[in-house]
Amino acid sequence: MLPTIRGRVAWVFQEPNFDIDLIVGVDHMKTQEIDILKSVCMTSYDARFPDEVQPGDVIVGGANFGYGHPHYPSCRALRALGVSAIIAESFSPGFYRGESSNGFPLIECPNVSTTVKRWQTVAFDWDNETLTIAETGEKLACQKVPQKSKDLILTDGIIGYLKQVRLSKQ
Amino acid sequence: MSQTIAEKIFSRIAGQKVSAGTERLFPPDLITAYDYPGYIDKYETQMADELGITKVNHPEKFILFIDHLYPAGNPKAQQIHEITRRFARNYGFKLYEGDGIGHQVISEKGHVHPGMFVTHFDGHISTIGALGAIGIGIRNSMIEAFATEEVSLVVPSSVRINLEGKLQRGVTARDVFHWIVRKIGPDGCRQAVIEYGGKGLGSLEMDERFTLCNLAMFLGGISAVMETDEKTHAYLRQTTGQEHPPMAPDPGARYEKEVTINLSEVEPVLVAPPSPANTIPISEALGVRIDSGYIGSCASGRIKDFEQAVEILEGRRVAEGFRLNAVPTTTAIQAQMSELGLTPKLIRSGAQVHVSTCDFCIGQMGALTEGERSVSTGTLNIPGRMGSNRAEIYTASPYTIAATAVHGKIVDPRTML
Ligand code: SF4
């Protein structure tokens, strides 16, 4: 079953073309230690972020989120802190491919960054591809999630996907 | 139904008409990768240990390159090269080592034909679009290509860029690309294939076309492809020894949007730190003090780029204390530079001419230290890309870099031509 995405909005990035590397900072592009990555995650936006974030929270992004030359540590840090999905106006293609291959739910939802507020609770409905804001009841239509992305989430990333979906058929 | 070039290519591979939005598996014509820690060494482990695959069905489809960390500066780099060689040997893959940067070597060596679909983990494989082929960087789903020889893709839509007119003196393909970024935004072609065509394309040399296609990702493009013309086919005759039918979209093909760029209006632009989205006209950066310059990379280290640099540098000297690194994209280009007399001219002006390698683009060589500033034809200007996180990188055209090298500060090259 696809994971339930229902959680607080831990941060809203409204800026377009957001460079994902800024989440842990360029000094940590090569950092592997997950505890360090967790401790610096988002701290240039909110110093208390690693303490405030809770499992199930989501990050909201603007248009072309992940633009540039995205590296993997930022999303590793977000996931390790329990962030369950990124919901953005749209994603940069390289970022989308890289992180969906890691089995990370990335949902494209036009208008999300100007509609939801930090700490509101949102829920994503996989069947109807809509995002509901719990506090207001407002529903936002999202883009269709490609089947491959769903398979990658279900199988926990590319290696699981290859084993369970692709190579098992051969 | 009328088709874009991308739809034609993916329809040919699918064996049936497919249009933008269709999600399915496509077997790439070529599967390519280069040596780098965390890539080929990881694929080797994933293939053999995690997936138990010791043999592929079509080894002839695979090409590996040793172009990073080259020549090896330490035993660790040599170890990565050795893993790359072993991986190629064990699976029967073609390997190019020391021929230069793979994104260009692949075309020079005649592997690319119009209509091909090529994958790599690195998006700059879009360079081959200049030959009417589509190269897509699929990042960590490369293991899917290695393990299954197929990749799942949603057939991309296309953005049509019509080029008109001719470039003014002192203006280059680099300027054209970043001019387009300024005009339609860094997400102006998001998730689409950029399809270049129009009369103005004919005025651009192959070297310039490779540059335009190489940078596709900074318009949000998934790749880029160009219509072919007599120049393309002359190049292909040399590299492949074959004739190919022309590659063009059908009249009436559907595009996400169409943009017209008049080349004669383009002026020199720079990409200012810290992001490739940050394009500014040169007038806003004039006089900025600069410590080093780099002409090279898979985007811009071809004959045309060095001819432009030499136009400025001939009879002049690089400023005292300024480091100018000239790095041919491939060894074939390096040889041609010598034959054309470009190498001695660069050297006499005070530039350093180096072996073909990626290493200047990633700060492995010619690195910057804290507080320094560089002008570069590398692909990226993010902090840390060429050394210290506290150094600044402006990307610019070879003309602008040469002019800047002479003065030690950013200068409009048109004033020196
Ligand atoms: S030249 Fe730079 S951008 Fe191109 S492949 Fe090498 S490192 Fe990457």
Side-chain angles (χ1 to χ4, degrees):
Chain A
M1 249 197 14
L2 287 160
T4 303
I5 299 177
R6 185 190 157 84
R8 304 175 312 163
V9 175
W11 190 261
V12 180
F13 288 104
Q14 281 191 335
E15 53 270 53
N17 311 310
F18 177 71
D19 177 353
I20 186 81
D21 289 350
L22 299 173
I23 285 182
V24 294
V26 285
D27 289 341
H28 291 287
M29 271 326 62
K30 299 204 173 107
T31 304
Q32 299 276 344
E33 297 79 5
I34 196 68
D35 288 334
I36 300 178
L37 290 173
K38 278 162 73 177
S39 71
V40 298
C41 182
M42 293 288 296
T43 48
S44 51
Y45 299 92
D46 174 356
R48 299 186 43 230
F49 187 89
D51 303 320
E52 287 172 335
V53 69
Q54 286 174 9
D57 284 356
V58 304
I59 296 286
V60 164
N64 205 25
F65 189 86
Y67 175 80
H69 213 262
H71 296 84
Y72 294 113
S74 290
C75 284
R76 278 190 68 212
L78 290 175
R79 280 194 293 273
L81 287 171
V83 170
S84 64
I86 300 180
I87 302 163
E89 303 277 334
S90 60
F91 293 100
S92 154
F95 172 76
Y96 185 84
R97 215 178 229 280
E99 287 306 333
S100 56
S101 296
N102 289 334
F104 196 24
L106 303 176
I107 314 288
E108 293 195 324
C109 179
N111 304 319
V112 66
S113 68
T114 49
T115 311
V116 304
K117 307 260 172 323
R118 193 180 186 201
W119 302 130
Q120 280 184 328
T121 296
V122 293
F124 178 66
D125 174 346
W126 288 102
D127 295 326
N128 298 308
E129 286 164 332
T130 51
L131 187 78
T132 306
I133 305 172
E135 284 76 3
T136 62
E138 194 173 350
K139 280 193 193 327
L140 299 175
C142 302
Q143 305 287 4
K144 187 169 176 302
V145 180
Q147 186 55 43
K148 162 102 178 279
S149 303
K150 291 184 184 167
D151 288 345
L152 285 163
I153 296 167
L154 284 166
T155 53
D156 204 22
I158 189 80
I159 294 292
Y161 162 79
L162 288 174
K163 281 188 186 162
Q164 293 172 45
V165 181
R166 298 280 291 284
L167 293 168
S168 60
K169 286 192 194 138
Q170 289 188 353
Chain B
M1 215 179 82
S2 297
Q3 292 190 305
T4 63
I5 295 181
E7 287 169 329
K8 286 187 174 186
I9 292 178
F10 288 108
S11 295
R12 199 254 315 146
I13 295 169
Q16 65 183 91
K17 267 204 168 182
V18 292
S19 31
T22 310
E23 183 181 3
R24 58 165 289 158
L25 296 175
F26 293 94
D29 296 297
L30 293 173
I31 297 163
T32 65
Y34 53 61
D35 64 307
Y36 204 72
Y39 293 87
I40 284 184
D41 49 337
K42 192 165 100 197
Y43 301 143
E44 192 188 39
T45 328
Q46 287 178 328
M47 284 282 271
D49 303 344
E50 295 181 46
L51 300 171
I53 298 171
T54 51
K55 204 169 157 296
V56 299
N57 291 331
H58 299 96
E60 70 282 1
K61 283 188 171 190
F62 294 80
I63 308 177
L64 306 184
F65 300 96
I66 292 182
D67 51 13
H68 288 65
L69 313 177
Y70 187 86
N74 55 57
K76 237 179 140 187
Q78 192 53 251
Q79 198 188 358
I80 288 292
H81 294 168
E82 192 40 39
I83 292 171
T84 310
R85 293 181 198 114
R86 182 176 69 201
F87 190 48
R89 228 173 17 243
N90 287 348
Y91 289 86
F93 301 157
K94 176 94 194 148
L95 171 73
Y96 287 104
E97 171 168 0
D99 290 283
I101 301 175
H103 300 314
Q104 180 70 12
V105 172
I106 191 172
S107 293
E108 272 178 11
K109 299 282 184 186
H111 294 286
V112 181
H113 300 254
M116 272 188 164
F117 163 45
V118 181
T119 53
H120 196 300
F121 53 81
D122 182 334
H124 293 298
I125 191 64
S126 61
T127 315
I128 63 164
L131 301 179
I134 289 186
I136 298 187
I138 56 173
R139 306 197 71 214
N140 51 4
S141 46
M142 262 309 274
I143 187 62
E144 179 185 355
F146 273 106
T148 69
E149 297 179 34
E150 291 184 311
V151 292
S152 66
L153 271 186
V154 177
V155 176
S157 58
S158 297
V159 171
R160 172 79 184 183
I161 299 191
N162 289 306
L163 302 176
E164 282 179 355
K166 266 184 94 161
L167 289 177
Q168 290 178 43
R169 194 138 190 247
V171 182
T172 75
R174 291 292 295 214
D175 299 307
V176 175
F177 182 83
H178 294 297
W179 183 266
I180 301 173
V181 176
R182 256 179 92 70
K183 185 161 167 159
I184 65 174
D187 64 345
C189 302
R190 200 183 65 80
Q191 206 77 44
V193 167
I194 307 168
E195 186 186 287
Y196 288 101
K199 280 223 177 71
L201 180 59
S203 71
L204 298 178
E205 307 291 332
M206 289 312 296
D207 283 358
E208 299 173 293
R209 300 182 192 187
F210 284 121
T211 300
L212 274 183
C213 289
N214 171 283
L215 296 164
M217 67 169 78
F218 302 119
L219 274 166
I222 186 167
S223 190
V225 68
M226 287 176 168
E227 289 179 354
T228 62
D229 64 6
E230 196 28 55
K231 281 183 189 164
T232 330
H233 292 282
Y235 182 95
L236 286 162
R237 248 170 250 130
Q238 278 194 354
T239 56
T240 67
Q242 291 177 23
E243 289 298 329
H244 299 86
M247 179 55 84
D250 293 327
R254 293 243 314 264
Y255 296 99
E256 214 157 273
K257 65 173 120 163
E258 295 195 47
V259 180
T260 299
I261 299 292
N262 189 338
L263 296 175
S264 62
E265 290 171 3
V266 178
E267 297 198 30
V269 288
L270 287 105
V271 186
S275 151
N278 209 7
T279 309
I280 57 171
I282 195 165
S283 55
E284 288 179 21
L286 293 176
V288 172
R289 180 192 56 76
I290 302 287
D291 305 284
S292 83
Y294 160 47
I295 302 174
S297 86
C298 56
S300 317
R302 303 184 179 82
I303 294 298
K304 185 85 187 173
D305 300 294
F306 294 111
E307 282 175 349
Q308 291 166 348
V310 163
E311 257 185 77
I312 299 270
L313 291 171
E314 200 170 6
R316 296 191 173 101
R317 284 288 304 175
V318 169
E320 189 75 29
F322 191 98
R323 315 185 294 274
L324 179 59
N325 296 306
V327 190
T329 305
T330 66
T331 50
I333 292 169
Q334 188 180 25
Q336 212 187 338
M337 283 169 67
S338 301
E339 285 156 15
L340 293 170
L342 295 168
T343 305
K345 286 178 185 163
L346 286 164
I347 292 172
R348 282 188 203 115
S349 74
Q352 304 283 325
V353 183
H354 299 277
V355 62
S356 299
T357 174
C358 280
D359 289 4
F360 287 85
C361 183
I362 50 175
Q364 286 286 320
M365 295 176 89
L368 305 171
T369 186
E370 200 167 322
E372 285 194 314
R373 277 195 212 104
S374 183
V375 282
S376 153
T377 62
T379 52
L380 257 183
N381 64 339
I382 55 171
R385 176 68 176 187
M386 291 171 67
S388 166
N389 291 339
R390 283 161 197 84
E392 289 184 332
I393 306 165
Y394 288 81
T395 57
S397 79
Y399 276 129
T400 302
I401 294 172
T404 300
V406 170
H407 292 280
K409 60 183 186 192
I410 294 176
V411 167
D412 189 329
R414 292 172 299 183
T415 61
M416 295 173 68
L417 285 168

